């Protein structure tokens, strides 16, 4: 994959996190329970996105890049980085710590 492909993948990951934050989490916000990285809802979304990215990364490697064998390093690293970028879109503007 070239640099532009990674930029597009990162942008889509960030946009997915931003959309979930605006469409789902902001509507369910409970005033006494702020969303932090340790909140069960945030952990659930991060875990779900990581699993989805494992499948998408496998498909990118297999069908776009032509990797015949299962390229675990590409799949795992690509999924971790995309999930990390997704977390920036998912977190609110306030501090999550």
């Amino acid at each position: 994959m070239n640099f532009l492909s990674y930029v597009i993948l990162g942008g889509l990951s960030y946009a997915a996190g931003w959309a979930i934050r605006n469409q789902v989490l902001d509507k369910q916000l409970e005033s006494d329970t702020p969303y932090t990285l340790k909140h069960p809802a945030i952990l659930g979304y991060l875990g779900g996105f990581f699993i989805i990215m494992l499948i998408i990364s496998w498909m990118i490697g297999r069908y776009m890049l032509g990797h015949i064998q299962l390229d675990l390093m590409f799949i795992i690293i690509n999924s971790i980085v995309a999930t990390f970028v997704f977390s920036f879109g998912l977190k609110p503007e306030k501090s999550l710590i």
Side-chain angles (χ1 to χ4, degrees):
M1 288 178 58
N2 58 17
F3 180 72
L4 181 61
S5 299
Y6 282 112
V7 170
I8 292 170
L9 184 63
L12 291 174
S13 298
Y14 182 84
W18 180 83
I20 289 175
R21 177 174 47 107
N22 285 332
Q23 298 298 321
V24 178
L25 294 178
D26 285 348
K27 293 179 181 175
Q28 298 175 354
L29 182 63
E30 300 170 7
S31 60
D32 58 343
T33 311
Y35 286 115
T36 63
L37 286 178
K38 295 178 183 177
H39 193 279
I42 299 292
L43 291 176
Y45 282 116
L46 288 174
F49 187 78
F50 180 72
I51 291 170
I52 290 170
M53 280 309 300
L54 286 173
I55 296 167
I56 290 174
S57 297
W58 171 76
M59 290 174 68
I60 288 172
R62 176 71 174 110
Y63 298 110
M64 290 180 65
L65 300 177
H67 298 164
I68 303 300
Q69 300 291 330
L70 188 64
D71 190 359
L72 286 178
M73 289 305 292
F74 171 77
I75 293 170
I76 292 171
I77 298 298
N78 199 33
S79 299
I80 289 172
V81 170
T83 304
F84 181 71
V85 173
F86 174 78
S87 72
F88 280 106
L90 193 59
K91 72 179 183 178
E93 280 78 22
K94 299 174 186 168
S95 176
L96 287 179
I97 298 174

